[in-house]
Amino acid sequence: MLVGVLVTFLVVILVLYLINMLPMDGRAKQIVRVIVIIIGIVSLLKYLAVF
């Protein structure tokens, strides 16, 4: 369980980093960041057996 949570956290951090490297508009980056964070939170909740 702990490994799954750690891997999910690291993947979310990596994706957020890669989003910052993309040449996109600031508003679009913000929307994509929010979507990635929400997906990460739902995934973490899944590992913690909330869903």
Side-chain angles (χ1 to χ4, degrees):
M1 181 178 102
L2 184 61
V3 173
V5 171
L6 183 61
V7 169
T8 303
F9 183 72
L10 290 175
V11 168
V12 169
I13 296 297
L14 179 65
V15 171
L16 289 174
Y17 173 75
L18 292 175
I19 289 169
N20 280 337
M21 303 304 273
L22 291 175
M24 287 194 312
D25 183 34
R27 183 78 175 151
K29 276 188 187 180
Q30 186 177 8
I31 292 170
V32 174
R33 278 188 215 130
V34 168
I35 292 170
V36 169
I37 290 172
I38 289 172
I39 291 171
I41 289 172
V42 168
S43 180
L44 287 174
L45 291 175
K46 183 186 73 168
Y47 278 115
L48 296 175
V50 174
F51 290 124

